[in-house]
Amino acid sequence: MERRYQRKGDSDVGHLREEKQGILYTAASYLLWGVLPLYWKLLEARPALEILAHRIIWSFGFMVILLAATGRLTAWRQELRAMRRRPALAWGIAAAALLISANWFIYIWAVTHHHIVEASLGYYINPLVSVALGTAVLSERLSAGQWLAFFLAAAGVAVMAVEYGSFPWVALSLALSFGFYGLVKKLASVDSSVGLTLETMAVMPISAVYLLWLYNETPALVGAAAWWQWVLLAGAGPATAVPLLYFAKGAKRVSMTMLGFLQYIAPTISLLLGVFLFGEPFTKAHLYAFSCIWAALILFSIVQMRQAPERKKWKRNSLQA
């Protein structure tokens, strides 16, 4: 009996240690994503499409090196063979590649064109967009509280469109592109590191051809770049991959509820950077819109916390049946 209790205690300690590691990994990923605008701001003199092309090429190169270092090249080759046998998987990877490329481009453009506040709004909206897509495509059911949270967020977007006088296309484009990306990734069900390698590989040839054309048509772009800008363009690969890898490590170790709280670190940091460091305007329209969305997220998080024990109980009963 004493030995059994000891084993249970060791298991609890091990679980707590895993959870702490998961929180650290996940928080680190969101912190890195939150400060990423500082990185793109250093390159704001360069065209957004050029930055995107470099980001894709160097991300692919970095991921191949990483897979080789971690012994995951075999898994990558297996997925490539599976794509030849299953056209649906290949189309899924292609769709994910286009969606994440669009998301990256919009974000880079937003940061380098003084729209960091609106970009942060997009990532606040994103969890609610993911829920809406899950309901529409995967037939997931929403509670009354989740529906209310969704309509509150929609009201926030509507208020901003009316009061600010322009449609917040940057925010909604970011939220929708990343929401659909998450949906495609869920349906394709490919390992995160292998998946990112396949996605960047799919659009890398287009990026390489574009850069060759760009530098041939406008050679002044090559001569105008300082050495540190080339270093930053090449560093876009690790800057992209490292947060994703930290997130993958952390997400396996923490609950969905904890993940839900931590995901607001990145847009909050971006919002603060946009307002206080880069001096972007934060008008009454922004305040009304953000207030609606923050209220929606608080309500959504409370509903998730209340539902978490019920989901655990249902899962435990299913396993025992």
Side-chain angles (χ1 to χ4, degrees):
M1 181 72 73
E2 186 177 333
R3 193 176 300 165
R4 187 171 65 191
Y5 280 125
Q6 189 174 0
R7 278 200 299 270
K8 185 181 178 183
D10 291 342
S11 175
D12 289 342
V13 169
H15 177 73
L16 284 171
R17 190 183 299 115
E18 280 281 297
E19 191 172 30
K20 284 180 181 177
Q21 287 178 349
I23 291 170
L24 288 173
Y25 276 125
T26 310
S29 70
Y30 284 121
L31 283 169
L32 289 171
W33 276 323
V35 299
L36 202 54
L38 297 173
Y39 195 95
W40 305 129
K41 269 288 183 183
L42 293 171
L43 290 165
E44 68 178 345
R46 313 298 296 179
L49 268 176
E50 180 198 12
I51 300 170
L52 173 67
H54 276 282
R55 186 179 189 181
I56 289 167
I57 291 168
W58 293 108
S59 293
F60 172 70
F62 181 81
M63 289 307 301
V64 170
I65 293 169
L66 188 70
L67 290 180
T70 55
R72 300 279 294 153
L73 280 177
T74 302
W76 178 40
R77 295 191 193 100
Q78 287 173 348
E79 289 295 339
L80 282 171
R81 287 194 290 269
M83 286 169 63
R84 295 191 190 100
R85 294 192 305 269
R86 295 161 52 199
L89 177 61
W91 282 110
I93 294 295
L98 290 174
L99 286 165
I100 198 62
S101 298
N103 181 270
W104 286 352
F105 171 72
I106 295 164
Y107 190 72
I108 291 167
W109 184 92
V111 170
T112 56
H113 288 75
H114 317 294
H115 290 279
I116 297 174
V117 170
E118 194 176 340
S120 70
L121 175 66
Y123 285 111
Y124 277 122
I125 297 170
N126 177 246
L128 299 168
V129 169
S130 298
V131 169
L133 289 173
T135 305
V137 180
L138 303 177
S139 301
E140 295 177 357
R141 297 179 65 184
L142 294 185
S143 66
Q146 287 172 322
W147 275 115
L148 180 58
F150 180 77
F151 285 121
L152 266 173
V157 173
V159 165
M160 189 166 177
V162 173
E163 293 289 329
Y164 197 53
S166 64
F167 190 75
W169 70 268
V170 169
L172 285 179
S173 298
L174 284 171
L176 288 169
S177 59
F178 202 74
F180 275 103
Y181 174 70
L183 177 64
V184 170
K185 292 280 282 184
K186 187 177 180 69
L187 294 172
S189 187
V190 178
D191 174 81
S192 57
S193 57
V194 173
L196 181 61
T197 311
L198 292 170
E199 290 153 19
T200 49
M201 182 187 74
V203 287
M204 188 199 63
I206 301 171
S207 301
V209 169
Y210 170 74
L211 285 181
L212 287 172
W213 172 84
L214 179 68
Y215 293 148
N216 183 62
E217 288 293 311
T218 52
L221 275 174
V222 179
W227 66 267
W228 57 267
Q229 289 178 314
W230 293 116
V231 171
L232 287 176
L233 287 169
T240 298
V242 170
L244 282 169
L245 295 172
Y246 278 170
F247 177 79
K249 283 177 175 288
K252 295 175 183 176
R253 294 174 167 89
V254 299
S255 66
M256 287 301 293
T257 304
M258 180 60 70
L259 203 62
F261 277 115
L262 292 174
Q263 70 185 326
Y264 302 122
I265 292 173
T268 302
I269 293 173
S270 297
L271 174 62
L272 295 174
L273 288 175
V275 175
F276 294 108
L277 183 61
F278 298 115
E280 291 188 13
F282 192 80
T283 64
K284 284 184 179 180
H286 286 100
L287 180 61
Y288 297 152
F290 274 91
S291 296
C292 286
I293 289 158
W294 287 329
L297 293 175
I298 291 168
L299 176 60
F300 183 73
S301 299
I302 291 170
V303 171
Q304 275 195 314
M305 287 175 64
R306 288 183 175 177
Q307 287 181 346
E310 294 175 13
R311 283 196 294 266
K312 285 181 181 178
K313 185 179 178 182
W314 178 85
K315 188 176 180 181
R316 187 167 58 249
N317 291 339
S318 299
L319 290 171
Q320 289 172 353

